[in-house]
Amino acid sequence: MTDARGACAKSGRTAMIGVSDFDGILRGKHALDKDFLDEDKVIKFSEAVLAWDCSDQVIPAGFTQKPLSAFGDADLRVLSGSGRSVSHVGDLYLYLAEFGGRHADICPRGILRKVLKRVADHGYGCTVGFEFEFMLFKESADTIQDKPFGEWAPLTRGPFGYSIARSVAHQELFGEILALCEKARIPLSGLHFESGPGAIEASLRHCDALEAADRAIIFKSMIKAWAQTRGLMATFMAKISEKWPGQSGHIHISVSSDGQNAFYDSGAVRNVSKLMSQFIGGQLKYMNDFSVLAVPNFNSYKRLVPGCWAPVCPSWGVDNRSCAVRVIPGGPSAHRLEYRLPGADVNPYLALASAIGSGILGIETNAALPASTVGDAGAEIGLPSGRFPQSLSEATYRFAQSPAAIDVFGERFVEAFSCSRRWEWEAVQHRVTDFERRRYFEVI
């Protein structure tokens, strides 16, 4: 495949630079200076990106002592090796970047690198694959604003999961998605219709953990942009309707040592090694404390309800999709776990940092692994492990007060991210919905 840097330089075109904010939204601009194509280069970029919510309202995040209206520039390190084409028409290249300098310790990608360094210091590496569910609507940005939700037209009507008929009927769209991902060096291992109107699931091929998160964040942004070029709108909301299934962002993880899968032990029950037991034990032990990184929005909690193929409490099981952690047995090359807490609305860097950071704490503390769940894990919400925090406010409080979170992610990041989530909670919780008016107006 042609190297992205060479192709971009040869064409004489400018490229785009993108960096993740707290919400996992790629913010950026076209670059007029191509020096970064040859080596990582530090440029200046507005620090306001780390102080905006998803509607560009300023969050008093506490990372700057300046007045809220007086944002300056931050150092941004452009990652020269990350360049890839992100458009199915022509050659439009995107390069990822990280915040540096005094903003490095609150940069989402930097937080994941920090966690992965801790893993590497123990002599381990992580292989990761993301899965995302998203919905396509036959709408535009204008019609979405102008029409009530009940009039939005999904790409397909009603549930029909894994439908071959629908896949064939929409083979042109599927073909474009597959080609776009291949062109962007984001190969997929699966693409199919999910059980919901216009619902599609894409499985991104596994690779090194940091590269997997890079692919995931580009994939989400790229799919939304591609959909608009086709007169469609794509959403990765965790729950768009109480009548439809939620949209997940599951993460597959394995840990290696000396080139071997350290999760696999041929002599152990279900091949679950001691290291894997410790890793899952840590994930379960700290899942509630770290959950806000995997369930980051007000809407996210509407997905975590019993009977909807989403976990409701810290639990694990062997090939059990009702659990928060699903062990997937296999040979040495395939044995892994699936971290099922995140929805599709996550910031991939932070969700993965949560999943791996809690696991490495489990290894460091020799965390005990509770009994596995056989059957519906939703029936265990009354057990000592309890259920997940029930709101963004509760999850944020637990994260902000967690010594383990400060240990893994750093005090400054915990403070800044917690502030952003409290802001998000306040922005939504006081809104009065049409449902409330219909339910209470006359009878109360």
Side-chain angles (χ1 to χ4, degrees):
M1 180 176 291
T2 303
D3 179 74
R5 289 174 287 174
C8 187
K10 184 177 180 180
S11 69
R13 299 175 183 174
T14 57
M16 291 189 300
I17 297 170
V19 65
S20 172
D21 67 7
F22 280 162
D23 288 295
I25 301 169
L26 278 183
R27 308 274 191 167
K29 60 184 179 180
H30 279 79
L32 302 179
D33 185 348
K34 303 188 195 65
D35 290 346
F36 64 83
L37 299 177
D38 298 320
E39 58 181 288
D40 291 3
K41 179 185 177 183
V42 176
I43 64 172
K44 295 297 183 181
F45 193 74
S46 174
E47 66 178 358
V49 166
L50 286 174
W52 278 341
D53 67 9
C54 61
S55 61
D56 287 8
Q57 298 299 303
V58 174
I59 307 167
F63 67 80
T64 177
Q65 300 303 314
K66 300 175 184 176
L68 294 181
S69 59
F71 292 106
D73 284 338
D75 290 339
L76 200 67
R77 183 169 64 92
V78 183
L79 307 171
S80 60
S82 67
R84 62 194 77 203
S85 174
V86 292
S87 174
H88 71 296
V89 178
D91 287 323
L92 181 61
Y93 284 90
L94 171 70
Y95 290 80
L96 293 175
E98 281 186 13
F99 284 101
R102 62 192 181 90
H103 299 84
D105 54 4
I106 57 173
C107 173
R109 191 177 190 273
I111 292 298
L112 176 58
R113 279 199 305 102
K114 179 179 181 178
V115 169
L116 294 175
K117 182 181 183 303
R118 188 162 175 162
V119 174
D121 287 345
H122 288 282
Y124 301 118
C126 294
T127 299
V128 171
F130 280 84
E131 295 176 347
F132 286 113
E133 295 173 352
F134 59 95
M135 284 185 176
L136 290 174
F137 287 84
K138 294 183 286 187
E139 303 289 346
S140 69
D142 290 333
T143 61
I144 288 288
Q145 292 293 326
D146 295 340
K147 296 193 302 189
F149 172 72
E151 295 179 11
W152 297 1
L155 178 67
T156 59
R157 296 283 183 177
F160 196 1
Y162 296 98
S163 169
I164 293 297
R166 284 186 175 177
S167 296
V168 172
H170 294 279
Q171 62 177 320
E172 184 178 352
L173 287 181
F174 271 42
E176 284 189 12
I177 293 172
L178 290 166
L180 176 61
C181 289
E182 191 68 28
K183 187 177 180 182
R185 292 189 286 115
I186 306 175
L188 302 184
S189 58
L191 186 68
H192 65 268
F193 275 103
E194 260 296 341
S195 183
I200 294 172
E201 179 176 310
S203 300
L204 281 59
R205 191 175 297 279
H206 61 272
C207 59
D208 172 77
L210 188 59
E211 169 67 10
D214 285 343
R215 292 180 184 183
I217 199 166
I218 293 173
F219 173 82
K220 291 178 67 176
S221 185
M222 189 174 66
I223 288 296
K224 287 191 282 190
W226 162 82
Q228 292 193 45
T229 69
R230 292 297 306 252
L232 302 169
M233 292 291 288
T235 182
F236 289 80
M237 279 183 65
K239 189 83 167 181
I240 196 168
S241 171
E242 70 279 3
K243 299 177 181 178
W244 299 345
Q247 299 188 115
S248 66
H250 300 156
I251 309 174
H252 293 249
I253 302 170
S254 64
V255 170
S256 61
S257 176
D258 296 327
Q260 303 297 314
N261 187 345
F263 277 178
Y264 179 82
D265 181 350
S266 60
V269 177
R270 294 289 191 151
N271 303 136
V272 174
S273 70
K274 179 180 179 181
L275 189 94
M276 189 179 198
S277 296
Q278 296 170 332
F279 195 91
I280 298 174
Q283 287 184 320
L284 300 179
K285 181 177 180 179
Y286 300 104
M287 191 169 283
N288 284 341
D289 279 7
F290 295 2
S291 65
V292 73
L293 297 178
V295 196
N297 297 306
F298 188 96
N299 175 259
S300 307
Y301 295 81
K302 299 182 179 181
R303 168 180 160 264
L304 302 180
V305 294
C308 289
W309 292 86
V312 296
C313 61
S315 55
W316 79 280
V318 177
D319 210 12
N320 186 338
R321 284 181 167 85
S322 71
C323 293
V325 179
R326 171 190 171 216
V327 169
I328 303 177
S333 64
H335 191 76
R336 64 195 187 276
L337 65 81
E338 180 185 33
Y339 195 72
R340 295 177 57 83
L341 176 59
D345 59 338
V346 292
N347 181 324
Y349 296 124
L350 299 183
L352 184 56
S354 172
I356 294 178
S358 55
I360 199 66
L361 277 181
I363 292 174
E364 291 173 352
T365 61
N366 189 23
L369 184 64
S372 64
T373 296
V374 178
D376 183 8
E380 297 189 351
I381 57 176
L383 296 182
S385 61
R387 64 183 304 166
F388 297 134
Q390 295 299 286
S391 69
L392 180 58
S393 177
E394 182 186 346
T396 300
Y397 178 82
R398 290 199 62 146
F399 184 67
Q401 300 298 315
S402 171
I406 293 173
D407 176 23
V408 174
F409 310 112
E411 184 174 5
R412 191 157 175 251
F413 173 78
V414 170
E415 178 187 359
F417 190 74
S418 297
C419 186
S420 78
R421 295 308 94 186
R422 283 192 291 267
W423 173 271
E424 188 66 25
W425 166 259
E426 293 288 342
V428 182
Q429 70 153 332
H430 296 305
R431 303 295 178 185
V432 180
T433 65
D434 286 340
F435 175 81
E436 291 172 283
R437 280 185 279 267
R438 287 193 300 269
R439 185 174 182 85
Y440 300 127
F441 181 82
E442 179 182 1
V443 300
I444 297 299

